[in-house]
Structure formats: C-alpha cells, structure tokens
Amino acid sequence: MVWGRIGMSYITRAAEKTAVAISATFPILVVTGARQVGKSTMLQHLSSTDRTVVSLDDPNVRALARTDPALFLQRYTPPLLIDEIQYAPQLLPLIKLGADRSDKPGQYWLTGSQSFHLMREVSESLAGRAGILTLAGLSAAELDGVESVPFDPDPARLIQRAKKVPKLTMPAIFQRIITGSLPRLWTQPTVDRATYYRSYVATYLQRDIRDLSQVGDETVFLTFLRAIAGRTARPLVMEDIARDVGVSAPTIKRWLSILVSSGLVAVVAPYHNNALTRLTKLPLLHMLDTGLAAYLLGWTTSDTLERGAMSGQFFESYVFAQIYASYTNAGLEPPLFFYRDKQKREIDLLIAKDGAIHPIEIKKAASPGKSSLANFRALDPLTQASPGEEALKTRVGSGGVVCLADDFLPLDANNSIIPVWTI
C-alpha cells in the first residue's frame, strides 16, 4: 500500500516518477544521496516481484562481491537491486558487461551513499549506460502528499498551488525545521529525535568519513560539523572556519567537499554576469537537513529554535532545501545562485530558468513590505545592456518574498508575497 501522509509506513516519494523514467531509458539506474534519505526503501517499493534485492551492508554478501564479483553476479541475476554499491566497486565492470549483453532497460538498480567516490566509479565504469538520480530528504510536498514540481515563482502557478496545499502555522513550520527531512523521524513518530541524530552522526563519522578521507581526530571533525551548522545560510569563508576549528584552510576545503558529496551540504555559487560589477566571489553555505543542523547546535525544541538568534538562518536554509529538492527530485540540476555585491546588497536566492533570472528573498516575517524588494534593483543592469553588449542582456522574471504570510498576495507588478507552505 502506498501512503502519502506522515505517520504511515511509507511516504510516496516525489522522485518515484523520475526513477521509473530513468529505468525505462537506461539499463542501469543509480540512486545516490545522503544516508537514511530512503534510497533503498523507495526502490524496493518500486520493485516488481521478480527483481532480486541484495544489500552490501551484509558483511558476508559484501565479502563475496569483493572477492569474487563474477560469482556474485551469477548468484544474483538481473533484474537486480544492489544496495550500497560503493562497498564493492569491483562489481561495476561486470555490471557494465551485463548491461551491454542485454538490450533491456532497467536491469540493474544501484544505490549508494558516498556520492563522490560512487560517482567517480560510475563515470569511469558505466559511462553512457547509467542514469543518475540524487534523492533528497523528505520535502514539504511529500509530507503533505501533494505533487512536487520544480519551484517556479510564477504567480499563476503559485495561486493554483495555494489551493491544493494545506496552510501551516509558524509553529508547524518550525516543527518541520527541527525534525528535519530523514524519513524514519516521520514514519516512526515514537523515535526520539536526539537519540536518532546522535546515532546518525556517530555512524557518519565512523563509517563514511573513514572511507572517504583520513580524519585523524574525530572530535575535531565533530567541531567542524558544528561550525558548518552554525554557518548555514551564511557566506562561506574557509579561513574563518579553519581558525575556529583549529585546522588548515585546505583541510576545511577537503572536509567540506566530503559533506557536499555526501548530500549533507549545498554550496551555492554567487551569480555572475559581466553586466553586473563589484560582485562578491564568496559562495553561500546551506545545511540541507535542518534537523541535523539543529541537533549539532544543541537546539532541543521547535519553540526555542524559533525564538533563538539563528531562527532566520534556519528558516532560510529550510526554504532553500525545499526549492533545491524540488529540482533534484525531478532529475534536474538546481539552477540556484545568490547575489551579493561589494556594497553588501544581497538577494537570498536567484533562480536562472528559461533565459530569465527570478529573484527570491526569504524572510521569517508574516507581513513583508515592498522594502523587502529593495535589493532587487541591483539586477537592473541586466535589462539595460549597452550597445554592443546585447549578449549580456538578461530578463528579470517574476520573484518575491518567501515568508510566513497566510496568503499569496502581489507586492508589485513583478513580485509577490509567497507563503512558505506553498513552495
């Protein structure tokens, strides 16, 4: 049975249609993403009765896959789902041969959590034969049981969406923020949040990090994780983090790449266009699971988080993560940037779509005014290219302010108040 509401044994995933489409196109489907986001659960849910399911988390199965991959694939034949494929990359060349021998799509489904190493092996061994899907944690659309589509601030679309999704109060939004996006915390409400995240962090440190990079002192790495969580929705300055953690900036860069490749963090590039001058080159940092960030920083309840000094940062990262997931669930690269210039004018999010830039401000407020749009004027040069520079001209499309408002309302001819529950 398929469920689309929280508190049930399975929550329908927005990426299911994308997974099915990829499987109908390529002989190999690879689903990657952070630990515990539901990769294997989704694929097992989609599997037909004739698909063999095997997990390399089992040490005996893993040993066979590593020492005798040919025998492994004789024992487990397609259609086949292999969970945690990164533990036995020795299988990939033989899977490639099996895919080449068969003209059927969807013969091999693979999942893996360590995206950096997994994707390197896939690109080297399965080029042209595998379709890739990055699965995010649970989105608001999935929790509400409504259709998930790539976010677009078009007013007509948002008005229609507001009719379909349930309104959420600020306490309900912050409960979602502190709970996070890992499915088990929603499908099994009796699970203690702090205990779950404590185990999650321990597993991540002890298994994934040791596999991905040599970390000499796990305590220092945990300090690094907390430093990253404390900088969610803030510009990324490697030297500042290095100073706080007590390691070198190159080490911070290497550790951060692990978080990004593992699906825990997004580093958002600053928008660049030669029509705009004096732009900052600093990227923006977002923790993609706000529940994990809250645990790392010691926030224990949604009320204290909402009243705390970081509530605006957490709200901004929550909104970013929803928009980010709306694209990855559709199998798309999120076209997301941010704007900051040397005059310290900032725009929280820019969506580059269909030849236009859509500016988005994110504010933990119920009634933002037109003053919230002031920094959008920094984009005016994009629409006013000088003679001979017409190629730089870019349309500034519809945008708005994502906030805690009760209703969708226009702010001006091009921008709207966008209630957070509509995204």
Side-chain angles (χ1 to χ4, degrees):
M1 183 177 292
V2 179
W3 300 95
R5 299 287 181 177
I6 61 176
M8 301 297 183
S9 59
Y10 181 77
I11 296 175
T12 304
R13 302 308 302 267
E16 288 179 12
K17 291 181 180 179
T18 306
V20 170
I22 292 174
S23 184
T25 304
F26 293 92
I28 305 166
L29 164 66
V30 180
V31 179
T32 186
R35 279 198 169 274
Q36 301 297 311
V37 295
K39 301 180 293 295
S40 58
T41 301
M42 181 185 74
L43 290 186
Q44 288 181 43
H45 174 77
L46 293 174
S47 294
S48 57
T49 55
D50 64 338
R51 185 174 295 275
T52 303
V53 179
V54 59
S55 175
L56 297 184
D57 264 335
D58 185 318
N60 294 321
V61 174
R62 183 165 66 245
L64 175 61
R66 287 175 169 175
T67 59
D68 198 337
L71 181 60
F72 176 94
L73 289 172
Q74 289 177 24
R75 169 65 179 83
Y76 303 107
T77 58
L80 177 63
L81 164 57
I82 304 176
D83 193 27
E84 304 293 3
I85 187 65
Q86 76 275 1
Y87 291 135
Q90 299 90 338
L91 291 171
L92 294 178
L94 296 179
I95 290 174
K96 170 189 172 183
L97 292 176
D100 288 344
R101 284 195 296 264
S102 173
D103 59 356
K104 294 182 180 179
Q107 289 297 287
Y108 299 92
W109 290 1
L110 314 176
T111 79
S113 299
Q114 300 175 2
S115 184
F116 177 76
H117 285 181
L118 176 61
M119 289 303 99
R120 184 180 64 188
E121 296 288 350
V122 166
S123 64
E124 292 175 355
S125 303
L126 305 179
R129 299 165 182 84
I132 314 298
L133 172 62
T134 300
L135 186 65
L138 286 172
S139 67
E142 290 168 321
L143 291 174
D144 293 331
V146 298
E147 182 184 13
S148 174
V149 295
F151 177 76
D152 185 333
D154 174 67
R157 189 196 71 83
L158 289 170
I159 289 171
Q160 291 302 311
R161 187 165 183 80
K163 297 176 182 179
K164 301 176 183 177
V165 296
K167 288 187 178 183
L168 294 177
T169 62
M170 181 175 68
I173 291 294
F174 271 85
Q175 186 60 51
R176 288 190 173 185
I177 288 173
I178 202 167
T179 302
S181 62
L182 299 181
R184 190 179 175 198
L185 292 171
W186 292 101
T187 59
Q188 300 179 33
T190 58
V191 172
D192 180 72
R193 169 187 161 272
T195 301
Y196 181 80
Y197 276 119
R198 187 182 307 116
S199 175
Y200 186 88
V201 171
T203 300
Y204 182 64
L205 286 171
Q206 294 169 7
R207 295 179 61 176
D208 292 355
I209 296 303
R210 286 178 178 174
D211 287 344
L212 287 168
S213 178
Q214 294 299 315
V215 175
D217 189 335
E218 291 182 0
T219 302
V220 175
F221 190 82
L222 183 57
T223 301
F224 161 72
L225 286 177
R226 288 172 175 152
I228 292 297
R231 288 169 169 81
T232 192
R234 291 291 181 263
L236 173 61
V237 183
M238 298 282 188
E239 293 76 12
D240 288 353
I241 302 174
R243 183 187 63 249
D244 292 349
V245 177
V247 298
S248 67
T251 297
I252 294 297
K253 184 177 181 180
R254 177 163 54 90
W255 287 357
L256 183 63
S257 72
I258 294 172
L259 299 188
V260 172
S261 65
S262 299
L264 295 178
V265 166
V267 175
V268 189
Y271 181 72
H272 175 75
N273 186 301
N274 286 337
L276 303 173
T277 60
R278 300 177 61 80
L279 296 176
T280 184
K281 295 182 180 179
L282 291 175
L284 192 69
L285 181 74
H286 281 290
M287 288 282 288
L288 292 174
D289 190 291
T290 53
L292 175 59
Y295 167 76
L296 288 168
L297 295 174
W299 298 102
T300 60
T301 70
S302 59
D303 288 341
T304 55
L305 178 60
E306 187 276 318
R307 294 195 301 267
M310 291 189 66
S311 62
Q313 287 175 246
F314 272 86
F315 183 73
E316 185 176 335
S317 285
Y318 170 79
V319 170
F320 175 87
Q322 300 303 313
I323 294 174
Y324 185 92
S326 75
Y327 284 91
T328 59
N329 284 335
L332 302 173
E333 184 70 23
L336 307 179
F337 303 87
F338 86 105
Y339 179 93
R340 189 171 191 266
D341 59 27
K342 293 182 180 179
Q343 296 171 268
K344 297 185 178 181
R345 294 181 297 182
E346 297 184 5
I347 302 173
D348 294 328
L349 191 62
L350 296 178
I351 303 173
K353 186 175 181 181
D354 297 327
I357 291 292
H358 301 270
I360 301 292
E361 275 293 301
I362 304 170
K363 290 191 177 296
K364 184 202 159 195
S367 303
K370 290 186 177 181
S371 60
S372 301
L373 309 177
N375 289 341
F376 290 9
R377 297 299 303 272
L379 301 177
D380 286 350
L382 293 176
T383 65
Q384 303 165 359
S386 303
E389 296 183 341
E390 286 79 8
L392 301 178
K393 190 172 182 179
T394 303
R395 183 172 63 88
V396 177
S398 55
V401 184
V402 177
C403 61
L404 292 164
D406 287 332
D407 293 298
F408 176 88
L409 293 169
L411 274 172
D412 62 22
N414 215 38
N415 300 287
S416 308
I417 290 176
I418 304 171
V420 62
W421 44 267
T422 65
I423 64 173

